[in-house]
Amino acid sequence: MASTTPTPEMTVTRPDQLTLDVVELIGEVVARFHEDYESAAAEHALTGAQARLLSLLCLEPLPMRRLAQQLKCEPSNVTGIVDRLEARGLVERQPNPSDRRVKVAAATPEGRQVARSLRESLRFAREPLAGLSEEERVALRDTLRRMLG
């Protein structure tokens, strides 16, 4: 019988129970956030994808290709979402200042207001966060920022 020398793949260390608990809780937080986000979007007569796109455009105007990358979908899907938001006056297409052959999508003032209202209507974390002291919220924020790195 030949002995096998362990390879790096064979010596993968298993995460400890605390790490597993944290990962499970992060998953639950993400799931609840998405559920609340979808509900808040629906209250504004938006789909989740429309709300996410509008939120992205509130940060900066973006070309369709970049929006598709951010949303992890096909550019043709983004075109349809932008069309529907444009019909509602929430988004507009503009020439790209650095390449006038390319159009970018940008949130209109009304679109920015809807996105702000949507963000303010998210209820999921408001109550649990209110139960934490300011020091605890700062520590949580800073820890999340470090994790996202």
Side-chain angles (χ1 to χ4, degrees):
M1 220 190 269
S3 71
T4 342
T5 306
T7 63
E9 296 82 24
M10 295 171 72
T11 58
V12 172
T13 57
R14 295 194 173 262
D16 60 80
Q17 189 57 49
L18 177 58
T19 299
L20 292 172
D21 291 347
V22 170
V23 168
E24 187 174 317
L25 289 167
I26 289 172
E28 191 171 327
V29 166
V30 168
R32 287 189 188 179
F33 174 81
H34 281 295
E35 186 178 300
D36 191 34
Y37 196 84
E38 294 287 331
S39 293
E43 289 173 14
H44 291 82
L46 297 169
T47 65
Q50 289 171 334
R52 284 188 295 280
L53 187 141
L54 186 58
S55 293
L56 284 171
L57 294 179
C58 285
L59 300 174
E60 64 179 321
L62 293 168
M64 302 295 182
R65 189 167 307 284
R66 280 272 310 284
L67 283 167
Q69 290 168 342
Q70 293 282 334
L71 295 173
K72 296 176 180 30
C73 68
E74 294 297 318
S76 60
N77 291 347
V78 169
T79 300
I81 296 169
V82 169
D83 288 345
R84 288 186 285 286
L85 292 172
E86 192 173 35
R88 287 186 53 187
L90 303 177
V91 165
E92 62 186 1
R93 287 176 170 90
Q94 304 171 341
N96 186 337
S98 61
D99 183 350
R100 300 194 63 76
R101 296 169 297 169
V102 176
K103 295 277 188 192
V104 295
T108 63
E110 184 181 352
R112 284 191 289 281
Q113 175 56 42
V114 168
R116 186 179 316 109
S117 175
L118 188 146
R119 226 178 8 260
E120 290 169 358
S121 70
L122 292 173
R123 294 174 289 278
F124 157 65
R126 190 170 297 146
E127 287 180 28
L129 286 174
L132 300 177
S133 69
E134 182 175 355
E135 183 178 299
E136 289 170 319
R137 291 192 316 269
V138 167
L140 177 60
R141 179 201 63 201
D142 293 348
T143 300
L144 292 170
R145 282 181 175 163
R146 267 196 5 241
M147 285 181 69
L148 294 171

